[in-house]
Amino acid sequence: MSNDENHPSSSDPSCKRSGSALQLGPCKKVASSNPLVLHGQHFGRTVFALCNYPALLTAGILRLEELQDSPIEDYPVEVFMDLIDSYPGLLNHLTSGEEEDVIHMGELLGKGASGARGDDTKTLKSAVLEWLVPRGEVVILPLSRNIKSDRGFNHEITGALLCPAGLDWSDAATKLSLKSSETTVRGDQWPMFLYARYDYDPEDPWKGLLRSEILIFGFKHVFMSPSSVDKEPKATCSSNAYLHGMKSVTKGSLTYIATQVRFSLSSSILDLLEDPDESEEVVDLMMWWTRFIIHLINYKLS
């Protein structure tokens, strides 16, 4: 990806919109290589997955102009600040453009984020089946690649991985209660698949949390390449992590992968990672993941 794609010049005549110096590509059809679409893909994966970008940009600009201290819509103000800080020149174009330009930029960012999320959901739905058991073993009671109705607590293997930590999936009464939804799983009851070796230590709840093999596979699948899960990554500069200059793992990216592996965990996991009382454990966790991603990127470039 060239610098021109990341930071298009103001002389690019491909799309003229009043008041906007951001060159947004052809007006009739937005190409997947549009810089704002590409940035939306990465921002959605690494910072905030679900966001109404036109509303976020509009409210964020009003907040800056009026110097308000109130939150922006349903999003922390940090989300808006992270967005403008991550894209050089974006703030200037937002403040100098017309309202329709701001909305259009938000639509492009949203197009990238939702497109990436949809693609990842689709590909991981099939890929995760290969990660349920050790390589070479066969899943007893085969699972469909395109239908998820036979997964969850309806299958022995996926049920064991989704079973809340602290509960015993091998106990027949517990298993039946989860299958029938008699037992309601709270958002802060972490499933076993989040733990390294799928082993939960009630005396040390942080031990192995968010360091499981299936999360590593998911992270490699999305940020490196699907093929990197099964073999050592080849020397290439085409991975999402490399293309977007990703040099550390963010709380958002870790939450995103956990969410993709187990939908609906996003807000609860992010709350945990941003809890000041858990800061020491969170720092250690983020350093662990950053060492992991830096090792992969350096290996690919060696």
Side-chain angles (χ1 to χ4, degrees):
M1 185 182 300
S2 68
N3 288 333
D4 289 342
E5 288 178 313
N6 280 303
H7 309 292
S9 67
S10 58
S11 60
D12 186 349
S14 59
C15 181
K16 297 297 184 180
R17 299 182 66 86
S18 62
S20 175
L22 276 181
Q23 302 308 314
L24 305 176
C27 294
K28 293 184 179 180
K29 183 177 180 180
V30 178
S32 60
S33 60
N34 181 283
L36 281 177
V37 173
L38 292 174
H39 193 71
Q41 293 174 355
H42 190 65
F43 192 84
R45 284 169 169 152
T46 58
V47 180
F48 208 79
L50 299 174
C51 182
N52 182 330
Y53 286 92
L56 175 70
L57 295 183
T58 301
I61 292 302
L62 289 176
R63 184 184 187 280
L64 290 178
E65 292 177 346
E66 299 174 8
L67 299 178
Q68 297 176 351
D69 294 326
S70 58
I72 300 174
E73 293 283 316
D74 296 324
Y75 316 112
V77 66
E78 290 80 13
V79 175
F80 175 72
M81 299 307 297
D82 284 345
L83 179 57
I84 60 176
D85 288 344
S86 65
Y87 197 103
L90 178 60
L91 179 59
N92 178 59
H93 297 305
L94 290 173
T95 54
S96 62
E98 302 292 336
E99 181 179 359
E100 67 175 57
D101 298 311
V102 174
I103 293 175
H104 184 58
M105 293 179 217
E107 290 172 343
L108 292 175
L109 289 165
K111 175 184 176 69
S114 62
R117 186 170 63 253
D119 289 343
D120 293 338
T121 299
K122 181 179 179 180
T123 58
L124 282 169
K125 183 170 64 175
S126 295
V128 74
L129 297 183
E130 307 294 334
W131 311 334
L132 296 179
V133 295
R135 290 182 179 85
E137 293 188 15
V138 178
V139 175
I140 305 301
L141 295 180
L143 289 161
S144 170
R145 288 186 173 273
N146 299 313
I147 302 175
K148 296 198 297 180
S149 60
D150 57 353
R151 304 186 192 185
F153 294 126
N154 295 317
H155 192 278
E156 185 66 24
I157 294 178
T158 56
L161 294 176
L162 292 170
C163 182
L167 298 184
D168 183 5
W169 176 252
S170 64
D171 178 72
T174 297
K175 188 179 301 184
L176 180 61
S177 182
L178 288 169
K179 285 184 176 181
S180 66
S181 300
E182 180 181 345
T183 295
T184 302
V185 180
R186 301 193 314 269
D188 60 352
Q189 287 183 289
W190 310 124
M192 290 301 298
F193 82 82
L194 293 178
Y195 290 87
R197 297 177 296 280
Y198 311 131
D199 181 34
Y200 169 69
D201 183 355
E203 299 299 322
D204 185 5
W206 268 98
K207 183 179 180 181
L209 180 61
L210 294 171
R211 305 188 191 207
S212 66
E213 184 178 54
I214 200 169
L215 285 186
I216 292 175
F217 288 165
F219 198 98
K220 293 173 71 175
H221 179 95
V222 170
F223 290 103
M224 305 309 294
S225 70
S227 62
S228 70
V229 174
D230 298 315
K231 56 187 177 181
E232 293 295 339
K234 297 180 180 179
T236 176
C237 297
S238 61
S239 71
N240 286 321
Y242 181 85
L243 290 175
H244 293 278
M246 189 176 183
K247 300 186 183 302
S248 65
V249 175
T250 63
K251 297 173 184 176
S253 62
L254 185 51
T255 300
Y256 180 81
I257 295 302
T259 302
Q260 286 289 358
V261 177
R262 178 60 168 100
F263 187 74
S264 83
L265 290 181
S266 180
S267 60
S268 295
I269 291 178
L270 194 56
D271 287 344
L272 172 70
L273 295 179
E274 293 184 343
D275 187 341
D277 293 336
E278 309 290 350
S279 60
E280 183 176 345
E281 290 83 358
V282 171
V283 168
D284 181 62
L285 174 68
M286 302 315 298
M287 289 179 62
W288 185 88
W289 273 98
T290 294
R291 286 194 296 268
F292 163 71
I293 190 64
I294 292 299
H295 169 74
L296 285 181
I297 292 176
N298 288 341
Y299 184 94
K300 289 169 74 86
L301 296 179
S302 62

